[in-house]
Amino acid sequence: MSFTLHGLAVSQGIAIGQAHLVSHATLEVAHFTVRERDIQHEIVRFEQAIESVRAELASLSGEASAPGAPTELAALVHMHAMFLDDPLLAEVPKELIRLRRCNAEWALVQQMEQLVAQFEEIDDSYLRERKHDIVQVVERVLRVLLGKPRRLSRKPAKGDKADKDGAGELVVVAHDLSPADTIQFKNLKIAGFVTDLGGATSHTAIVARSLAIPAIVGLHHARPLVRENDMIIVDGTRGVLIVDPDARVLEEYRLRKRELELERSKLKRLKTARATTLDDIDISLQANIELPQDIVQVKEASADGIGLFRTEFLFMNRDTLPTEDEQFEAYKSVAKAMAGKPVTIRTLDIGGDKTARALTGTERQAPNPALGLRAIRYCLAEPQIFLAQLRAILRASHFGKVQILIPMLAQAAEILQTLAMIEQAKQQLRERRCKFDEHIPVGGMIEIPASALALGPFLKRLQFLSIGTNDLIQYTLAIDRTDEAVSHLYDPLHPAVLRLLSLVIQAANKAEMPVAVCGELAGDPQMTRLLLGMGLRQFSMHPSQLLEVKQQVVMADTEQLALKVARLLKLDEPERIREQVERL
Ligand code: PEP
Ligand code: MG
């Protein structure tokens, strides 16, 4: 039966494919008693499932060691294989089948619950977190038992034949996905994804945009209503999910998908064009990246530099922290690949919705993580982690035009402490006789209203600014960016937001300090003219959005826009503001 669900459109485009449910399988297994004479058969079924997952993990392990695969993937697969072979998982459920006559799935889930409960008692937070790995291994076995052995395959290499019109394409359907889950999709072949939870500027949504695959979040009931292998359409532009579409709807969407692809390929003509406005103002269009491998997309879009490298993604999905050398190699590869174009490396912005299990040992359980020990606050509280990262960035500065960006600064004292730490890292490198750029520019993110309203110390002590509109909006309007229950209130055009933005851009321009916007607003072509009219000359966004924004830039006249935007900033009624923005 066909039905439609509505959620938040977070990454444009249309995906047509089969649903692949990613879940906590515990709740879904049937519980029944096996007849005496079927017990042996049930045990064999269980053993075969374990054997099949063993083979699955062995083949995954081969892929995980292939060139280009994240190094931590191999360690993860190895750990899962170990859990699978442990008698507590491979043998005890067989006892339960024999003694209690449980069906295999139920026996396995009971044993998993026991193990998870034991892990929850462990004090050491690292070991405690291993319970998630147990659940993941059990989920694999359950999928085989339930007759759904399915795993996502790696991205095809260049030249591989593409799937046609969604046949064989997979769309991930999940209740919720963390940014750490989502970043792993970069190495997998996925046509799109949808989740029940999540806000439009959550980091999960941001990563979806960087994957350039259609995505919808905040669907509320997709996970319980959609079944594995259902044919689904993800309209990532309108936020509509169509399950089991009829032939007519399917044909319409196939057509629309082809049209969109055509539109995108036409945009490629702008790749070599300069981003200059009609009144001859050069605009810098830079890229946001999460991992060094994103450089491929950055080059394809001909970005003028990296305006935001979200380094915290290097810390995710691994059990140990990346060493200084490992970080150095990652930053150096980006600096070298950009061949003299600016590379803005943001220091670790962990906390809020971004968590890394390698850091959980030191991380406190915050009652409100978005307002807690996040970003620079965390780094100043963990000087050794911060210093290692600063040294790695500084060393990379010898190989390109690197600059350091500090997230979530609000206090003058934090700026001073940060600069002192950078000096300390420099001194350590001097003692080691390592080369680095002595004059590396240091910038601050403006993402807390307090910093926008009290810019003095930023203008005095730093060399550039970058406005993080995702957080600036979250903190100005007091709306958790990850919570779909309040996502309707997340409004970039709220007069308070517009005034703060304009205030920062104007003050920076007056002080002749470079200022960029690197939040999601910078990549929204409907906002380009507004930002140009405020005086913004530097934008940083996901590479997939860059050409659409360039299209807006080349048709804009900044002088005219400045006059119109000055008038618009005096308005208070949201509807009038929206109207005027559309007319710019
Ligand atoms: C922002 O807050 O706008 C930003 C760019 O940083 P992040 O989205 O990573 O918090
Ligand atoms: Mg931010």
Side-chain angles (χ1 to χ4, degrees):
M1 188 194 63
S2 178
F3 63 93
T4 301
L5 297 172
H6 295 261
L8 301 168
V10 296
S11 183
Q12 292 205 3
I14 289 167
I16 303 173
Q18 288 170 284
H20 174 50
L21 307 186
V22 174
S23 70
H24 206 287
T26 330
L27 306 172
E28 292 162 24
V29 304
H31 297 190
F32 58 85
T33 310
V34 181
R35 285 180 305 190
E36 195 69 45
R37 65 169 188 266
D38 291 335
I39 285 180
Q40 195 46 37
H41 172 257
E42 200 64 7
I43 289 176
V44 171
R45 202 165 75 83
F46 176 78
E47 285 173 342
Q48 283 172 344
I50 295 276
E51 198 43 55
S52 158
V53 173
R54 196 171 283 133
E56 200 177 304
L57 287 173
S59 111
L60 244 190
S61 162
E63 286 180 10
S65 358
T71 46
E72 55 281 3
L73 195 61
L76 189 74
V77 173
H78 178 68
M79 180 177 23
H80 284 194
M82 263 169 47
F83 278 134
L84 184 74
D85 283 339
D86 194 302
L88 287 171
L89 264 193
E91 296 299 326
V92 173
K94 290 199 270 183
E95 285 303 296
L96 295 176
I97 297 172
R98 208 171 280 128
L99 298 173
R100 297 193 202 157
R101 290 170 49 197
C102 305
N103 59 313
E105 294 87 345
W106 185 18
L108 180 60
V109 166
Q110 281 181 70
Q111 178 59 5
M112 177 195 80
E113 282 170 352
Q114 279 275 339
L115 292 172
V116 166
Q118 284 169 16
F119 270 76
E120 272 166 0
E121 298 285 299
I122 300 177
D123 278 341
D124 182 296
S125 60
Y126 170 77
L127 288 177
R128 196 169 54 239
E129 288 306 304
R130 302 286 64 77
K131 68 182 179 206
H132 299 298
D133 295 295
I134 295 193
V135 172
Q136 279 178 17
V137 174
V138 167
E139 283 189 336
R140 276 187 191 277
V141 182
L142 284 176
R143 269 200 295 274
V144 178
L145 283 169
L146 296 167
K148 309 174 194 166
R150 169 71 77 75
R151 70 186 174 80
L152 302 163
S153 54
R154 280 179 62 76
K155 264 191 179 163
K158 253 195 176 153
D160 282 5
K161 220 165 151 258
D163 286 311
K164 220 180 152 200
D165 282 345
E169 301 251 54
L170 287 188
V171 176
V172 167
V173 180
H175 183 59
D176 194 15
L177 289 171
S178 69
D181 294 329
T182 319
I183 197 83
Q184 299 192 67
F185 293 166
K186 289 209 182 205
N187 295 311
L188 301 171
K189 185 170 166 279
I190 290 168
F193 78 79
V194 300
T195 62
D196 288 339
L197 303 185
T201 53
S202 64
H203 286 92
T204 299
I206 287 173
V207 176
R209 272 191 284 279
S210 83
L211 300 172
I213 55 172
I216 309 173
V217 300
L219 280 160
H220 297 281
H221 305 299
R223 182 63 190 73
L225 293 177
V226 176
R227 289 165 311 174
E228 182 82 13
N229 287 336
D230 271 351
M231 174 62 104
I232 53 179
I233 298 173
V234 180
D235 182 340
T237 310
R238 290 180 214 156
V240 178
L241 175 74
I242 305 168
V243 183
D244 198 13
D246 63 35
R248 189 184 50 81
V249 173
L250 197 58
E251 200 39 50
E252 259 174 43
Y253 269 94
R254 281 183 175 148
L255 195 68
R256 179 87 194 106
K257 187 169 179 250
R258 281 196 286 272
E259 278 170 6
L260 283 176
E261 279 159 8
L262 198 68
E263 277 169 33
R264 282 206 76 80
S265 73
K266 278 190 195 155
L267 267 181
K268 285 195 184 137
R269 285 191 300 218
L270 279 175
K271 193 181 148 181
T272 49
R274 279 176 59 202
T276 307
T277 62
L278 292 175
D279 52 333
D280 221 17
I281 305 288
D282 285 333
I283 306 298
S284 171
L285 299 181
Q286 303 195 5
N288 293 353
I289 62 168
E290 282 87 35
L291 294 172
Q293 71 198 58
D294 298 339
I295 285 294
V296 179
Q297 270 183 290
V298 175
K299 295 245 162 159
E300 270 167 20
S302 284
D304 296 319
I306 305 291
L308 174 66
F309 181 172
R310 289 183 163 99
T311 59
E312 51 279 4
F313 284 90
L314 294 174
F315 290 66
M316 291 180 189
N317 298 310
R318 48 185 299 151
D319 296 322
T320 53
L321 292 175
T323 60
E324 178 189 322
D325 280 350
E326 218 175 321
Q327 291 186 63
F328 163 62
E329 290 300 337
Y331 307 147
K332 181 174 98 175
S333 70
V334 175
K336 282 177 86 168
M338 291 309 289
K341 288 182 179 170
V343 173
T344 311
I345 305 186
R346 180 174 75 179
T347 56
L348 186 61
D349 179 8
I350 210 72
D353 60 337
K354 286 178 284 195
T355 51
R357 61 173 181 267
L359 291 164
T360 45
T362 46
E363 199 180 85
R364 291 173 214 162
Q365 283 298 327
N368 190 340
L371 300 182
L373 204 60
R374 183 187 160 185
I376 189 62
R377 302 170 179 186
Y378 177 85
C379 287
L380 291 176
E382 293 291 341
Q384 294 316 322
I385 294 176
F386 193 31
L387 280 170
Q389 180 173 43
L390 290 173
R391 288 193 301 268
I393 301 174
L394 284 165
R395 285 166 61 193
S397 70
H398 181 62
F399 297 89
K401 195 172 169 194
V402 172
Q403 40 189 28
I404 302 177
L405 178 61
I406 312 293
M408 222 185 157
L409 288 166
Q411 324 270 347
E414 287 169 340
I415 298 179
L416 292 178
Q417 274 175 278
T418 302
L419 293 176
M421 296 281 280
I422 294 173
E423 189 43 46
Q424 194 181 338
K426 283 183 175 176
Q427 188 51 33
Q428 290 169 341
L429 291 181
R430 284 184 204 112
E431 283 161 18
R432 282 205 233 153
R433 299 189 181 284
C434 282
K435 290 189 179 144
F436 63 89
D437 175 5
E438 283 280 356
H439 305 289
I440 189 167
V442 179
M445 286 195 74
I446 303 297
E447 43 187 356
I448 297 181
S451 49
L453 292 168
L455 272 177
F458 289 81
L459 298 176
K460 196 164 154 199
R461 313 248 176 231
L462 301 175
Q463 282 82 50
F464 68 97
L465 300 179
S466 189
I467 310 175
T469 47
N470 308 332
D471 279 313
L472 187 61
I473 298 168
Q474 153 162 276
Y475 295 127
T476 303
L477 302 181
I479 290 157
D480 184 338
R481 59 195 268 200
T482 66
D483 186 353
E484 77 287 353
V486 287
S487 60
H488 60 291
L489 298 171
Y490 194 95
D491 182 10
L493 295 183
H494 189 292
V497 173
L498 296 186
R499 284 173 206 165
L500 285 173
L501 264 171
S502 160
L503 186 85
V504 177
I505 295 169
Q506 301 281 327
N509 285 347
K510 197 165 159 219
E512 295 185 9
M513 175 176 273
V515 57
V517 168
C518 64
E520 294 305 289
L521 219 58
D524 181 348
Q526 285 165 354
M527 297 292 153
T528 311
R529 298 167 73 79
L530 174 71
L531 293 169
L532 287 170
M534 284 183 182
L536 188 75
R537 301 294 178 254
Q538 199 177 310
F539 296 63
S540 191
M541 67 206 84
H542 291 299
S544 59
Q545 297 160 318
L546 201 139
L547 295 181
E548 263 187 276
V549 171
K550 195 190 268 189
Q551 194 173 34
Q552 292 297 320
V553 167
V554 296
M555 294 187 306
D557 181 317
T558 59
E559 259 183 64
Q560 281 180 17
L561 285 171
L563 295 174
K564 290 184 186 169
V565 170
R567 282 199 295 272
L568 181 155
L569 286 169
K570 297 203 175 87
L571 299 175
D572 273 320
E573 299 116 80
E575 276 322 304
R576 295 269 333 267
I577 295 178
R578 220 163 291 280
E579 231 175 72
Q580 294 303 317
V581 170
E582 274 166 27
R583 282 201 205 151
L584 279 176

